[in-house]
């Protein structure tokens, strides 16, 4: 028999024997010894009987309690746990943030302090892998269970790759750590217990080292290509200096001291946030002279389509890919990327007698241990000798290729 307001008011706040009164469609009320009346819904979840407390009467009226029935039945029909869904619905009404909201706040408040390239990377990751999948339709961050996280990472792996999934896990843990320190997320979120191998794969550490004959073939292909002088020069400078792509792309003429033959990468262009000094080799001088004749000696060394802006990472990566495609067609050359130039120059010069501490400085690495604290020498003279040797060996390889 359905419960009426009259009956409930007679029981409310009266001392009595505790009891449970059925209403309809698995809805009932529990009456405590002191007359506290609580609406309950009984159902089975994972083959177990559960009782869900909906609220107290009269704060929750009979009609309001009955309005929960279709919601609860719908969740059960979709194999969803109505306890979790109810908590989600109520907390969304309270404004608990989702992972998408926290990530967006992180982008707006933390990321602008980072380098431009890093800002672009993080913005793309959040925009593609976090906001679309963990938005307002998802569970609030503080309510996400370990099962919810695995469901999410399975979607990332399905739409991306195992390596992408591992990268996104690392990014999410960083974002949540930031939010915890600001009091915007509860501590001990279950995702923090996961390792990359639990959800995906570690990013591959590059192994490609190009031989001198491969670099020579690449150089010849670059020279014969129809790309702009800026694009050609950028890839060539990357390969003869071992500098990071961003260090070359963002270089400005004001960074070059031609009186002392020194190229200084400013801290804002350096991955280590420290200035990097490199000598200017004869081969580099030749390339710089060509750039000066074409574009002038002001602003960016390697201008993009807009002369006031540098060439983009995408443009250089795409150009390098085209060069490799030609070499693969002609010689079946294994795949290479701009970043492989760094591993190649370090390995090839070490094979030709250049000391490791010199090649480390050529790469722009900071020294480790005690040397990092007390030894600020950058071995410019030794670097210059290394660069000249490297360019001579490349020139010899080019002559060898042309003579075949």
């Amino acid at each position: 028999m359905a419960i009426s307001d009259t009956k409930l008011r007679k029981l409310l706040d009266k001392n009595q024997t505790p009891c449970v009164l059925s209403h309809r469609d698995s809805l009932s009320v529990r009456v405590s010894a002191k007359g506290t009346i609580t609406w309950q819904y009984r159902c089975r979840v994972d083959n177990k009987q559960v009782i869900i407390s909906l609220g107290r009467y009269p704060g929750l009226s009979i009609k309001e309690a009955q309005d929960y029935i279709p919601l609860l039945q719908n969740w059960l029909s979709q194999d969803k746990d109505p306890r979790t869904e109810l908590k989600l619905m109520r907390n969304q009404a309270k404004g608990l943030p989702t992972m998408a909201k926290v990530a967006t706040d992180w982008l707006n408040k933390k990321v602008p302090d980072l380098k431009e390239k890093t800002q672009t990377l993080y913005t793309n990751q959040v925009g593609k892998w976090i906001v679309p999948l963990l938005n307002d339709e998802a569970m609030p961050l503080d309510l996400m269970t370990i099962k919810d996280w695995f469901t999410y990472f399975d979607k990332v792996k399905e739409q991306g790759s195992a390596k992408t999934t591992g990268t996104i896990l690392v990014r999410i843990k960083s974002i949540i750590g930031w939010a915890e320190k600001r009091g915007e997320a509860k501590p001990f979120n279950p995702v923090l217990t996961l390792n990359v191998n639990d959800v995906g794969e570690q990013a591959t550490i590059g192994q490609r080292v190009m031989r001198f004959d491969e670099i020579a073939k690449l150089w010849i292909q670059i020279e014969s290509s129809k790309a702009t002088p800026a694009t050609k020069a950028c890839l060539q400078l990357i390969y003869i200096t071992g500098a990071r792509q961003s260090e070359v792309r963002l270089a400005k003429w004001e960074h070059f001291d031609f009186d002392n033959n020194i190229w200084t990468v400013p801290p804002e262009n350096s991955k280590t946030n420290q200035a990097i000094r490199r000598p200017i080799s004869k081969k580099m001088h030749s390339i710089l002279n060509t750039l000066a004749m074409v574009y002038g000696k002001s602003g960016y060394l390697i201008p993009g389509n807009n002369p006031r802006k540098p060439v983009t990472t995408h443009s250089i990566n795409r150009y390098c890919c085209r060069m490799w495609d030609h070499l693969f067609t002609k010689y079946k050359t294994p795949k290479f990327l701009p970043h492989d130039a760094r591993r190649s120059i370090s390995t090839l010069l070490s094979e030709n007698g250049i000391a490791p501490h010199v090649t480390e400085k050529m790469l722009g690495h900071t020294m480790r241990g005690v040397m990092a604290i007390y030894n600020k020498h950058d071995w410019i003279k030794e670097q210059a000798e290394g660069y000249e040797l490297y360019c001579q060996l490349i020139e010899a390889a080019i002559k060898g290729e042309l003579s075949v």
Side-chain angles (χ1 to χ4, degrees):
M1 180 177 177
I3 299 172
S4 66
D5 273 313
T6 302
K7 185 170 186 177
L8 291 179
R9 282 196 294 269
K10 288 180 180 179
L11 297 172
L12 185 64
D13 297 330
K14 304 288 184 3
N15 291 330
Q16 59 200 287
T17 303
C19 64
V20 175
L21 304 176
S22 296
H23 180 51
R24 47 165 282 200
D25 297 321
S26 301
L27 189 65
S28 61
V29 292
R30 178 173 56 81
V31 185
S32 72
K34 293 185 177 182
T36 300
I37 300 175
T38 305
W39 287 104
Q40 296 180 327
Y41 184 80
R42 295 173 180 269
C43 61
R44 297 189 71 82
V45 177
D46 294 333
N47 294 321
K48 294 181 181 179
Q49 182 77 24
V50 298
I51 299 175
I52 304 171
S53 294
L54 302 179
R56 291 181 178 179
Y57 178 87
L60 186 67
S61 68
I62 293 177
K63 182 181 184 307
E64 289 170 335
Q66 291 174 167
D67 288 343
Y68 276 107
I69 293 174
L71 282 173
L72 296 163
Q73 290 176 339
N74 183 51
W75 289 329
L76 287 167
S77 69
Q78 297 178 47
D79 292 328
K80 294 181 178 179
D81 189 332
R83 294 168 296 182
T84 302
E85 296 301 319
L86 182 61
K87 186 182 291 186
L88 170 61
M89 184 180 73
R90 288 174 171 172
N91 280 288
Q92 283 179 331
K94 293 178 182 178
L96 272 184
T98 61
M99 183 66 219
K101 173 65 167 60
V102 172
T104 301
D105 289 345
W106 176 75
L107 281 179
N108 294 333
K109 297 175 182 178
K110 172 65 177 176
V111 174
D113 297 332
L114 306 177
K115 292 182 179 179
E116 185 177 349
K117 182 179 178 182
T118 305
Q119 291 182 39
T120 301
L121 173 64
Y122 290 171
T123 300
N124 290 340
Q125 289 177 343
V126 170
K128 183 172 183 179
W129 299 111
I130 298 179
V131 170
L133 301 178
L134 296 174
N135 53 29
D136 291 340
E137 297 178 2
M139 185 82 68
L141 173 61
D142 290 340
L143 300 181
M144 290 186 71
T145 65
I146 198 70
K147 184 177 180 180
D148 295 325
W149 282 113
F150 272 111
T151 299
Y152 162 69
F153 286 118
D154 286 344
K155 289 181 182 177
V156 175
K157 186 185 294 184
E158 180 183 342
Q159 296 178 22
S161 67
K163 291 176 184 176
T164 298
T165 308
T167 300
I168 297 304
L169 169 62
V170 173
R171 192 68 54 241
I172 282 177
K173 291 170 79 170
S174 297
I175 295 171
I176 292 176
W178 171 84
E180 283 185 3
K181 291 176 182 177
R182 294 170 57 92
E184 297 176 9
K186 291 182 179 179
F188 311 118
N189 191 290
V191 75
L192 301 178
T193 66
L194 297 177
N195 296 317
V196 169
N197 291 336
D198 295 327
V199 299
E201 296 177 6
Q202 297 281 356
T204 304
I205 298 175
Q207 301 292 330
R208 181 77 162 97
V209 175
M210 296 181 70
R211 305 186 307 268
F212 278 114
D213 67 297
E214 291 177 324
I215 297 174
K217 290 183 176 72
L218 171 61
W219 198 277
I220 295 168
Q221 187 62 50
I222 290 173
E223 293 287 1
S224 64
S225 73
K226 296 181 180 180
T228 65
T231 303
K232 291 182 179 182
C234 186
L235 193 57
Q236 289 176 325
L237 288 173
I238 289 170
Y239 268 87
I240 65 168
T241 63
R244 297 177 180 90
Q245 184 184 147
S246 59
E247 294 169 2
V248 176
R249 286 191 311 101
L250 301 178
K252 294 183 176 180
W253 285 100
E254 63 198 59
H255 302 156
F256 292 84
D257 177 0
F258 290 103
D259 292 333
N260 296 297
N261 272 341
I262 299 294
W263 168 32
T264 301
V265 177
E268 60 269 23
N269 292 355
S270 165
K271 183 179 179 179
T272 61
N273 293 317
Q274 297 179 14
I276 300 171
R277 296 204 317 152
R278 292 187 178 95
I280 303 173
S281 66
K282 295 176 183 177
K283 189 77 172 175
M284 189 175 182
H285 260 296
S286 175
I287 295 172
L288 295 179
N289 289 336
T290 300
L291 288 171
M293 286 189 293
V294 177
Y295 302 105
K297 295 184 70 173
S298 64
Y300 286 104
L301 187 73
I302 313 289
N305 292 331
N306 182 340
R308 296 187 185 87
K309 293 184 178 181
V311 67
T312 64
T313 302
H314 178 67
S315 295
I316 300 306
N317 287 340
R318 186 175 55 187
Y319 178 62
C320 185
C321 187
R322 289 206 307 271
M323 295 301 96
W324 167 74
D325 190 53
H326 287 298
L327 296 185
F328 180 78
T329 301
K330 293 178 182 178
Y331 311 107
K332 302 301 179 185
T333 303
K335 180 75 174 181
F336 58 82
L337 302 170
H339 198 73
D340 295 328
R342 292 170 58 75
R343 196 177 305 105
S344 300
I345 191 172
S346 178
T347 302
L348 294 173
L349 283 180
S350 293
E351 291 174 352
N352 282 274
I354 301 300
H357 64 271
V358 177
T359 57
E360 286 294 282
K361 281 296 181 181
M362 295 169 75
L363 295 178
H365 288 165
T366 55
M367 306 305 288
R368 297 181 181 181
V370 175
M371 289 188 73
I373 300 172
Y374 296 107
N375 195 328
K376 304 301 182 182
H377 185 45
D378 47 18
W379 289 281
I380 285 292
K381 178 176 177 294
E382 289 79 4
Q383 283 193 64
E385 293 171 354
Y387 279 125
E388 292 302 334
L389 173 61
Y390 193 59
C391 291
Q392 289 170 13
L393 292 171
I394 291 175
E395 285 289 349
I398 292 173
K399 290 179 181 178
E401 290 297 322
L402 293 175
S403 65
V404 175

